[in-house]
């Protein structure tokens, strides 16, 4: 019987071994031949379907709680679009959207990347993670998904569709723009649009040990943003989320543009932050976060001439 190889080794870096990335490729297969047309079609379909499911559940939860509040009010006729937002209602809406994003990102992020947001797509284009043509196709599919989701909820639920985004009383257009962008909260709260973009890049685009829980991080970040912005602007942070209800209800307020410009500005700033981190080689600040020692074990096994079957058994 072959002598069992001792896999308890020092974690001292070995020259020539990439201990940060090597162990992330365990069991990876050789790249498959790419069919560009098929991939683009599947990508657009996946982003359309994912955006549709995400916003359908988010819109459905919002419509449900507003209809419930309208039914309990003394006003007549029962109009969910005129419901006074209470803390309970706002929390319900935030939970609906946050959980919906989490579960749908979890379902789709290994298939399409689960952007579900033209602003997120723009951010990925700006950092070079997505080619411009692909980004334009993805963004179009996401916008169509938002319109389809609003149409579905409008057709399935009673009363007027009450899921559109609008500014709260006494909130100016400028305030609404920067709340949607959340520039001023980025550094202090890490919960603004830029933080969402950066967390999305860090958790989903850049592969590391936390990649498998990327949907949870993205969903929680979105939920915390909603807790702040939901009352003031509806916390769209997503042109597809605002466009869908506006198209179905044919209601485009004069400030509708802030739901496009705000998130896109946030995406650009988030991409800039990420680029700065890359240029500064941020991995050197807190090295070894993705190192589990497997690359070192493999290095020692390969230099001892161990059989591949035995190596797989012990790693």
């Amino acid at each position: 019987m072959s002598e069992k190889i001792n896999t308890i080794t020092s974690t001292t870096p070995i020259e020539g071994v990439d201990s940060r990335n090597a162990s992330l490729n365990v069991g990876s297969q050789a790249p498959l031949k790419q069919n560009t047309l098929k991939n683009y079609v599947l990508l657009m379909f996946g982003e359309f379907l994912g955006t549709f499911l995400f916003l359908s559940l988010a819109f459905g939860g919002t419509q449900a709680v507003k209809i419930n509040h309208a039914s309990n009010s003394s006003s007549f006729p029962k109009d969910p679009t005129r419901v006074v937002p209470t803390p309970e209602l706002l929390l319900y809406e935030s939970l609906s959207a946050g959980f919906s994003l989490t579960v749908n990102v979890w379902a789709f992020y290994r298939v399409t990347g689960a952007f579900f947001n033209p602003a997120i797509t723009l951010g990925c284009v700006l950092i070079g993670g997505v080619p411009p043509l692909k980004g334009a196709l993805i963004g179009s599919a996401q916008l169509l998904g938002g319109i389809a989701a609003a149409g579905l909820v409008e057709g399935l639920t009673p009363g007027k569709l009450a899921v559109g985004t609008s500014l709260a009383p006494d909130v100016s257009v400028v305030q609404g723009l920067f709340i949607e962008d959340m520039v001023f909260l980025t550094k202090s709260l890490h919960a603004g649009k830029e933080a969402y973009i950066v967390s999305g890049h860090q958790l989903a685009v850049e592969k590391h040990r936390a990649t498998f829980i990327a949907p949870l991080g993205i969903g929680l970040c979105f939920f915390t943003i909603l807790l702040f912005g939901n009352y003031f602007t509806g916390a769209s942070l997503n042109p597809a989320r605002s466009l869908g209800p506006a198209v179905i209800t044919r209601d485009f307020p004069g400030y509708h543009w802030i739901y496009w410009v705000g998130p896109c500005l946030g995406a650009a700033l988030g991409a800039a932050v990420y680029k700065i981190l890359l240029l500064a080689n941020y991995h050197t600040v807190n090295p070894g976060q993705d190192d589990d020692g497997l690359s070192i074990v493999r290095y020692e096994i390969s230099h001892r001439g161990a059989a591949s079957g035995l190596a797989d058994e012990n790693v």
Side-chain angles (χ1 to χ4, degrees):
M1 180 179 297
S2 301
E3 180 183 357
K4 187 175 179 67
I5 298 175
N6 180 18
T7 60
I8 302 176
T9 65
S10 169
T11 58
T12 304
I14 298 176
E15 184 178 357
V17 177
D18 183 359
S19 61
R20 182 169 62 86
N21 294 318
S23 60
L24 297 179
N25 299 317
V26 179
S28 60
Q29 299 178 351
L32 299 176
K33 185 177 180 179
Q34 298 295 312
N35 185 324
T36 303
L37 178 60
K38 183 195 74 171
N39 288 345
Y40 273 43
V41 171
L42 290 177
L43 180 62
M44 291 180 66
F45 175 74
E47 282 296 301
F48 168 83
L49 182 60
T51 305
F52 170 74
L53 293 174
F54 153 50
L55 290 177
S56 292
L57 295 175
F59 290 161
T62 298
Q63 186 78 353
V65 71
K66 287 188 174 181
I67 289 176
N68 180 270
H69 274 241
S71 299
N72 293 333
S73 67
S74 57
S75 62
F76 188 85
K78 308 303 182 184
D79 185 356
T81 64
R82 297 183 179 276
V83 168
V84 177
T86 63
E88 295 83 3
L89 184 148
L90 294 171
L91 179 60
Y92 191 102
E93 291 180 359
S94 300
L95 287 170
S96 295
F99 275 99
S100 178
L101 181 64
T102 301
V103 297
N104 282 290
V105 169
W106 220 308
F108 285 90
Y109 88 106
R110 295 187 66 182
V111 180
T112 68
F115 300 114
F116 303 162
N117 185 337
I120 297 290
T121 305
L122 173 63
C124 289
V125 170
L126 292 176
I127 68 166
V130 174
L133 175 59
K134 182 183 288 189
L137 294 174
I138 292 173
S140 300
Q142 292 160 347
L143 293 173
L144 291 174
I147 295 171
L152 176 71
V153 173
E154 196 275 339
L156 292 181
T157 58
K160 298 179 180 179
L161 186 65
V163 300
T165 50
S166 60
L167 297 179
D170 300 326
V171 175
S172 70
V173 172
V174 173
Q175 288 174 323
L177 173 64
F178 282 101
I179 288 174
E180 279 294 302
D181 180 49
M182 292 198 176
V183 174
F184 301 121
L185 293 182
T186 304
K187 294 181 180 180
S188 60
L189 301 181
H190 302 286
K193 185 64 180 178
E194 293 76 33
Y196 183 31
I197 292 285
V198 171
S199 70
H201 291 330
Q202 296 272 9
L203 292 173
V205 175
E206 184 172 299
K207 306 306 178 186
H208 50 69
R209 287 293 166 192
T211 298
F212 75 100
I213 58 170
L216 183 60
I218 292 170
L220 286 174
C221 189
F222 184 54
F223 171 67
T224 57
I225 294 171
L226 289 171
L227 290 178
F228 173 82
N230 197 6
Y231 171 76
F232 298 108
T233 68
S236 170
L237 307 177
N238 185 341
R241 187 260 179 270
S242 290
L243 178 66
V247 169
I248 297 302
T249 61
R250 298 176 180 82
D251 181 16
F252 287 87
Y255 52 79
H256 178 78
W257 59 270
I258 71 171
Y259 296 108
W260 294 72
V261 175
C264 289
L265 283 175
L269 290 172
V273 170
Y274 188 69
K275 281 286 190 180
I276 291 171
L277 290 176
L278 291 179
L279 289 173
N281 194 16
Y282 73 90
H283 301 102
T284 61
V285 176
N286 194 15
Q289 291 307 298
D290 293 322
D291 184 17
D292 58 5
L294 290 180
S295 58
I296 300 173
V297 171
R298 270 189 219 91
Y299 179 86
E300 293 194 357
I301 289 175
S302 65
H303 280 66
R304 294 182 187 186
S308 60
L310 182 59
D312 291 341
E313 178 184 351
N314 286 277
V315 175

